[in-house]
Amino acid sequence: QVQLVESGGGLAQAGGSLRLSCAASGRQFVIYAMAWYRQTPGKERELVARIIRDGTTTYADSVKGRFTISRDNAKRTMSLEMNNLKSEDTAVYYCWADELVPDGIPPEFWGQGTQVTVSS
């Protein structure tokens, strides 16, 4: 069994900062990609940032220049540094990861989500 556990959400003021962390535990597997998604009520879950095993990153246009994703392959952890927060960043943030497999569709895993609220 695999668990992704997020931490670090909470309340911040507009212009402030928060740091989210995600740790994988349980069955040992090689993580290929890790990502942060977010979702607000009535909207689809959207990709915020993604990082693959070699460190290559992808960001949503709305967070470029403000958020930084990083990971530690050995510790199987990932972080999201969020700076210059805006009210529109308010959402539940989810950690996601997939497994490096030689072929076929890789298993995917989700965390339980952590609330980020930005007050203006």
Side-chain angles (χ1 to χ4, degrees):
Q1 187 174 357
V2 173
Q3 282 188 317
L4 298 179
V5 179
E6 302 104 334
S7 61
L11 178 65
Q13 290 189 334
S17 299
L18 281 174
R19 181 181 178 89
L20 304 182
S21 297
C22 174
S25 63
R27 176 174 66 85
Q28 292 294 312
F29 66 99
V30 177
I31 301 173
Y32 176 66
M34 301 188 80
W36 290 98
Y37 285 78
R38 66 187 181 188
Q39 189 171 25
T40 54
K43 293 189 177 181
E44 290 191 358
R45 195 170 295 189
E46 65 172 358
L47 176 67
V48 176
R50 180 176 181 265
I51 183 168
I52 62 175
R53 192 164 180 82
D54 67 359
T56 301
T57 58
T58 305
Y59 294 93
D61 288 342
S62 59
V63 306
K64 282 181 181 177
R66 300 188 298 121
F67 290 10
T68 302
I69 189 171
S70 61
R71 65 185 282 180
D72 185 321
N73 290 332
K75 295 181 179 178
R76 307 203 313 159
T77 60
M78 172 180 64
S79 294
L80 184 69
E81 185 73 33
M82 304 185 293
N83 296 316
N84 191 20
L85 284 163
K86 303 177 180 181
S87 57
E88 51 262 45
D89 295 320
T90 296
V92 177
Y93 284 71
Y94 296 91
C95 173
W96 172 93
D98 71 356
E99 182 175 356
L100 181 63
V101 295
D103 52 34
I105 300 173
E108 299 182 356
F109 310 99
W110 289 92
Q112 80 287 355
T114 185
Q115 177 70 46
V116 170
T117 302
V118 182
S119 62
S120 56

